[in-house]
Amino acid sequence: MDEYYDALETQDPAVREENLFASLAAQLRHAKDHSKAYSALLDGFDIESVNDWSALTRLPLTRKSEIAKSQADLPPLGGYSTPALAGFYNIFASPGGIFEPGGMRDDYWNFARCLYAAGIRQGDLIHNTFSYHFTPAGQMVESAARAIGCPVFPGGIAQTELQVQVMAQLKPRAYCGTPSFLKVILDKAADMGIQIHGLEVGLVGGEALPGSLRDELSERGVEVLQSYGTADLGLIAYESTAREGMILTEEVIVEIVAPGTGEPVADGEIGEIVVTTLSPEYPLIRFATGDLSALMPGMSPCGRTNRRIRGWMGRADQTAKIRGMFVYPSQVAAVVARHDELVRARVVIDRVDNADVMVFRCETAERSDALVLAIAESVREVCKLRADIELCPTGELPDDGKVIEDRRPIN
């Protein structure tokens, strides 16, 4: 049984990078020529010079809020897609009023790679409990299964007793869905006194997978691995049997940037995941996911040579409302950019005597009252708020990806 989905997974990293940026150049030309949104967004940029990581960071970020606004002005896809609607099978809706297309080709969302890594092979019956309603999660698995050659039972969500009955009769080898729902199904089967035979492997996602739950599922005979993707982009990264981080899929270019900016962070440092997809139908370029992660050093022991991330580590969109004013990570970055003495900064919000208190903590080697006053003035100008300024040594702020830390009690 082949361990890898294709030869791309074990190619030389230098060759992969060269091929990715060659594909990116073609994608940028395609997007500018055929996507109304990117024709405007890329206007004035020398896209032919975008041939390395440094050049990529000069391109603007694409944020979900911008897509939502464009879709409201130019429904249904805001001008981001390249073919007309007749070129898609589906239009999906995600929370927040965002619509995503479903392409006609098999494995449109690139999930075949992670199904294969989870041990799913041609002819395996997949019991798919990802939702088929509104969002593309169910179709992500369905499209990938067709590419591998696997039949799918479209279970969708809920109806636990029926899920158990079907599993007992059809005896699927693979499960796809959230890990918590798999536990619910197995618990219900035990309550009903029904044996589920043949279920061996699973690809799970959509929520965290605690080690204790993975161990419990393994003890009950099902070995599960995780995937990480979004409705907009499809697959971004996936686990292999090595279970050491998540391997980036071959069909995207991933950056880790400081939240609120498009600037890359050092390898190993937590930042926001920014993805450029090479999908010709929906060419999202430097799409800021709002999710946090960090790049890991080295390669996976499984033999796959692509870069790895530590998995989903929280959200980067840390907007907070302070004394009636919104404060954004981009504003914190703008203040830091005004002062060469600053390495990075973090806004800490608390409530004292029923009043909001904002502290602007800055990493810097310099200590002077003049610098404190200058930073305070920058905060007032950029954020329209007064803040206490605290200077701290370089390296003192936590490396958790947070730019705005809201400590105020909920109640």
Side-chain angles (χ1 to χ4, degrees):
M1 183 180 291
D2 292 336
E3 185 175 353
Y4 308 115
Y5 181 65
D6 59 25
L8 294 178
E9 294 182 355
T10 56
Q11 65 183 318
D12 181 274
V15 173
R16 174 184 290 110
E17 184 167 318
E18 181 180 348
N19 290 337
L20 279 178
F21 278 100
S23 298
L24 174 62
Q27 179 77 318
L28 292 174
R29 289 192 293 270
H30 175 70
K32 189 169 184 179
D33 291 343
H34 300 284
S35 160
K36 187 172 183 178
Y38 280 113
S39 178
L41 286 169
L42 296 175
D43 185 45
F45 287 92
D46 180 11
I47 59 175
E48 298 300 329
S49 69
V50 182
N51 52 15
D52 59 22
W53 295 104
S54 176
L56 180 59
T57 64
R58 294 197 291 269
L59 297 179
L61 294 177
T62 299
R63 295 199 175 274
K64 184 167 285 195
S65 57
E66 297 163 354
I67 294 179
K69 183 179 183 304
S70 295
Q71 289 182 351
D73 295 337
L74 186 63
L77 297 174
Y80 283 86
S81 64
T82 55
L85 283 185
F88 297 106
Y89 271 150
N90 310 98
I91 299 294
F92 298 97
S94 292
I98 298 291
F99 299 96
E100 303 98 5
M104 290 186 175
R105 58 187 166 86
D106 286 348
D107 200 26
Y108 170 75
W109 291 276
N110 304 314
F111 262 71
R113 195 173 300 282
C114 60
L115 289 180
Y116 202 89
I120 298 170
R121 297 293 183 269
Q122 183 179 14
D124 287 341
L125 175 60
I126 300 173
H127 191 101
N128 183 19
T129 68
F130 279 120
S131 175
Y132 281 80
H133 179 64
F134 268 70
T135 71
Q139 290 293 342
M140 286 178 171
V141 172
E142 189 99 14
S143 175
R146 283 196 299 269
I148 295 177
C150 296
V152 173
F153 176 77
I157 58 176
Q159 298 180 299
T160 311
E161 290 189 7
L162 288 176
Q163 305 270 9
V164 171
Q165 292 168 5
V166 168
M167 277 191 172
Q169 289 184 274
L170 293 181
K171 298 179 175 56
R173 180 172 177 268
Y175 166 90
C176 289
T178 64
S180 61
F181 192 45
L182 177 56
K183 173 177 164 53
V184 168
I185 291 173
L186 295 177
D187 287 345
K188 177 60 70 173
D191 292 343
M192 296 169 67
I194 294 178
Q195 294 290 323
I196 295 179
H197 298 290
L199 191 63
E200 298 177 351
V201 296
L203 178 74
V204 298
E207 64 184 21
L209 175 62
S212 58
L213 178 53
R214 194 203 293 264
D215 292 342
E216 180 182 343
L217 295 174
S218 178
E219 290 167 3
R220 299 171 81 164
V222 189
E223 300 295 334
V224 299
L225 295 179
Q226 300 178 85
S227 63
Y228 165 58
T230 74
D232 321 86
L233 301 159
L235 183 68
I236 298 172
Y238 61 98
E239 273 191 315
S240 72
T241 52
R243 296 182 183 177
E244 292 189 11
M246 302 188 82
I247 302 163
L248 298 179
T249 191
E250 303 292 333
E251 295 81 10
V252 296
I253 297 175
V254 173
E255 305 166 79
I256 306 293
V257 307
T261 79
E263 296 301 314
V265 300
D267 286 0
E269 188 174 326
I270 298 173
E272 183 177 8
I273 301 171
V274 168
V275 180
T276 297
T277 175
L278 300 176
S279 163
E281 301 94 336
Y282 196 54
L284 296 181
I285 297 165
R286 300 203 77 208
F287 181 83
T289 65
D291 292 332
L292 294 173
S293 192
L295 288 168
M296 296 174 62
M299 298 178 190
S300 172
C302 72
R304 293 173 176 84
T305 58
N306 208 344
R307 298 183 304 163
R308 295 174 295 162
I309 58 174
R310 287 168 59 186
W312 185 84
M313 301 177 70
R315 292 290 294 170
D317 47 356
Q318 304 154 30
T319 302
K321 196 173 188 179
I322 307 170
R323 300 193 292 272
M325 298 292 294
F326 282 104
V327 176
Y328 302 91
S330 58
Q331 292 174 311
V332 179
V335 172
V336 172
R338 288 186 173 201
H339 303 277
D340 294 338
E341 302 92 340
L342 302 186
V343 177
R344 58 180 178 148
R346 181 187 188 108
V347 168
V348 179
I349 312 158
D350 214 331
R351 184 170 291 128
V352 178
D353 295 331
N354 292 319
D356 289 343
V357 175
M358 174 177 167
V359 179
F360 201 91
R361 301 191 67 206
C362 314
E363 284 189 359
T364 177
E366 184 172 325
R367 296 289 184 276
S368 72
D369 292 340
L371 179 59
V372 169
L373 291 172
I375 296 170
E377 179 60 25
S378 293
V379 172
R380 282 195 297 271
E381 291 179 3
V382 173
C383 302
K384 313 303 180 188
L385 288 165
R386 294 182 181 276
D388 296 330
I389 309 301
E390 180 181 323
L391 306 182
C392 54
T394 301
E396 182 170 302
L397 295 180
D399 179 21
D400 56 8
K402 286 186 178 180
V403 176
I404 299 175
E405 179 184 359
D406 196 341
R407 297 178 179 175
R408 292 173 292 188
I410 297 175
N411 298 319

